[in-house]
Amino acid sequence: MSTQTLEEAVALTKKFTEKPSNEELLKLYGLYKQATEGDNLTERPGGFDFKAAAKYNAWLNFKGLSKVESENQYCQLADELASKYI
């Protein structure tokens, strides 16, 4: 488990010198939204807005996960990605 805060983990991701894969970015996004807002109760985006749909689904993947657990997983993922992208 990471000892950093969510804000520190977000700052860490901004230091990446290479862009993570779309899959990694979507996982970060989903965990961040779950940690900061809880379950995704928004309306599903239209069928042709693929980027919005991917983000919607990424957040939906963490439905039911507590804000604290989401934050812990985000921090852990940020640490793992930092070892690859910094």
Side-chain angles (χ1 to χ4, degrees):
M1 184 158 115
S2 177
T3 56
Q4 66 187 353
T5 66
L6 183 62
E7 293 77 22
E8 290 169 335
V10 169
L12 181 62
T13 65
K14 295 183 188 314
K15 295 178 184 174
F16 291 175
T17 56
E18 291 180 49
K19 184 179 177 188
S21 71
N22 285 340
E23 183 180 314
E24 292 165 331
L25 289 171
L26 285 169
K27 188 170 182 183
L28 282 171
Y29 175 83
L31 285 167
Y32 180 82
K33 293 295 277 186
Q34 189 70 22
T36 57
E37 297 184 33
D39 286 345
N40 184 351
L41 303 176
T42 63
E43 201 169 305
R44 184 177 292 278
F48 293 104
D49 191 346
F50 299 114
K51 184 176 179 180
K55 291 170 89 173
Y56 177 90
N57 290 331
W59 183 6
L60 203 59
N61 285 337
F62 299 103
K63 184 176 183 175
L65 197 61
S66 75
K67 288 185 176 188
V68 170
E69 183 56 31
S70 301
E71 185 172 332
N72 289 341
Q73 286 189 30
Y74 182 97
C75 292
Q76 185 176 7
L77 180 58
D79 285 343
E80 289 172 19
L81 294 178
S83 66
K84 287 169 64 175
Y85 298 114
I86 292 183

